[in-house]
Amino acid sequence: MIEPWHWAISGIALASIPLLHWIAFGRTLSVSGRISALINRARLGRDEPTVEMSSDELMAAVREATIAAFGGAAVLDPEVPDASAALPTRLPMSNHLLFLGGIVVGGLISALAAGAYSPQFALHGRTFNSLFGGSSVSTAAVLIGGGMLVGFGTRMAAGCTTGHGLCGVSRFQKGSLLATGAFFGAAVVVSLGLELLS
Amino acid sequence: MPTDEKICPQMDSCEMYAIFRNSGVLGTWKALFCQATFENCARYKLVRLGRSVAPNLMPNGVLLRPTRKTSP
Ligand code: SF4
């Protein structure tokens, strides 16, 4: 059994990750967001516009469409500030792959270094075993079903424990406070409910 | 993905967003779609439906065509 870090050290370590991410990439950390970005880009299969226009033509067409929609001031008026410089640029696919791969490799290195690497395909809870039998089929069904529900909820809430729980809550974002309360609240209710049923 | 409710979750993978930025018109579209009512964006709606998005589709549904060139 590994001795866990003191909660205060764990808290500082966790907080430093989104902070370093902000410093490195100028955007809030979100693991599910990076996964969605990766999947969307792979699914849509394009990195560059494929329309039959050169890049200059495309820029000119965008400016023309902007003027048509909002008038010349949208492009020409210096009083209309373009805050784009302060906004994050689109990250390349390799950046997402490196980041997500780093989570897996980092976890593995950490487990190996602590001498705690012993992968098992089992859920050991007493409640789980009494409710689902503890066979490998029921374990797989619960893990896959649970993973799909987590993915569905994450997309619906536009963020996961990292984006909402770590970054959003620390910035007092209303949506994140609500989302974090909802998913931690649901976890407490479900585990107490299962405990009662078992 | 930023967690602010107002920021479009597609911003990171949206090709048009990068084009707005490079053509210097991002402020206008961002204020109306990308950081406001992105649910109304034609591109966002297609992604949500699982459909592919034409690279020349503007958030207001306009499909870009090459602009008329002046004669040389
Ligand atoms: S153009 Fe539409 S899809 Fe792209 S970032 Fe803006 S709101 Fe989102």
Side-chain angles (χ1 to χ4, degrees):
Chain A
M1 183 75 183
I2 310 169
E3 196 58 39
W5 289 359
H6 188 275
W7 58 265
I9 296 175
S10 304
I12 291 168
L14 270 178
S16 67
I17 296 169
L19 197 61
L20 287 173
H21 189 273
W22 178 266
I23 292 166
F25 303 114
R27 63 180 64 199
T28 47
L29 172 66
S30 170
V31 177
S32 60
R34 279 178 175 272
I35 294 173
S36 320
L38 206 57
I39 291 172
N40 274 345
R41 220 171 296 174
R43 193 166 56 94
L44 300 175
R46 278 190 305 265
D47 241 23
E48 296 300 327
T50 54
V51 73
E52 295 297 317
M53 278 191 250
S54 70
S55 142
D56 283 351
E57 281 174 332
L58 194 57
M59 297 301 169
V62 165
R63 286 175 73 83
E64 197 164 90
T66 306
I67 292 167
F70 310 114
V75 173
L76 299 172
D77 188 355
E79 295 304 312
V80 180
D82 186 345
S84 57
L87 281 166
T89 50
R90 182 182 176 214
L91 293 173
M93 206 145 164
S94 55
N95 185 298
H96 295 306
L97 285 170
L98 203 64
F99 179 87
L100 295 170
I103 293 178
V104 177
V105 175
L108 184 65
I109 292 173
S110 165
L112 287 172
Y117 185 67
S118 62
Q120 291 169 13
F121 187 69
L123 291 169
H124 291 298
R126 181 177 53 82
T127 311
F128 173 81
N129 286 339
S130 70
L131 283 176
F132 300 102
S135 72
S136 54
V137 174
S138 60
T139 301
V142 168
L143 284 175
I144 293 170
M148 286 175 75
L149 285 176
V150 168
F152 187 74
T154 299
R155 283 296 282 168
M156 219 164 44
C160 58
T161 43
T162 318
H164 282 313
L166 276 179
C167 303
V169 168
S170 60
R171 293 184 298 139
F172 300 110
Q173 297 285 323
K174 279 198 296 286
S176 294
L177 289 167
L178 198 65
T180 308
F183 55 67
F184 277 124
V188 170
V189 168
V190 168
S191 68
L192 288 178
L194 288 177
E195 197 66 34
L196 281 176
L197 284 175
S198 66
Chain B
M1 185 185 301
T3 55
D4 311 41
E5 308 91 287
K6 294 283 180 197
I7 294 178
C8 174
Q10 309 300 336
M11 196 184 272
D12 187 47
S13 53
C14 176
E15 290 153 354
M16 191 50 79
Y17 186 82
I19 294 169
F20 289 157
R21 191 183 167 83
N22 292 334
S23 58
V25 300
L26 178 60
T28 307
W29 295 100
K30 189 189 64 181
L32 274 160
F33 290 97
C34 314
Q35 262 188 330
T37 53
F38 58 82
E39 301 90 346
N40 296 335
C41 171
R43 300 180 64 85
Y44 175 83
K45 285 186 202 166
L46 284 176
V47 172
R48 292 293 291 191
L49 289 172
R51 308 248 310 271
S52 65
V53 183
N56 53 336
L57 178 66
M58 298 293 276
N60 58 356
V62 168
L63 266 179
L64 293 178
R65 301 264 169 255
T67 52
R68 280 185 307 278
K69 287 192 184 126
T70 50
S71 45

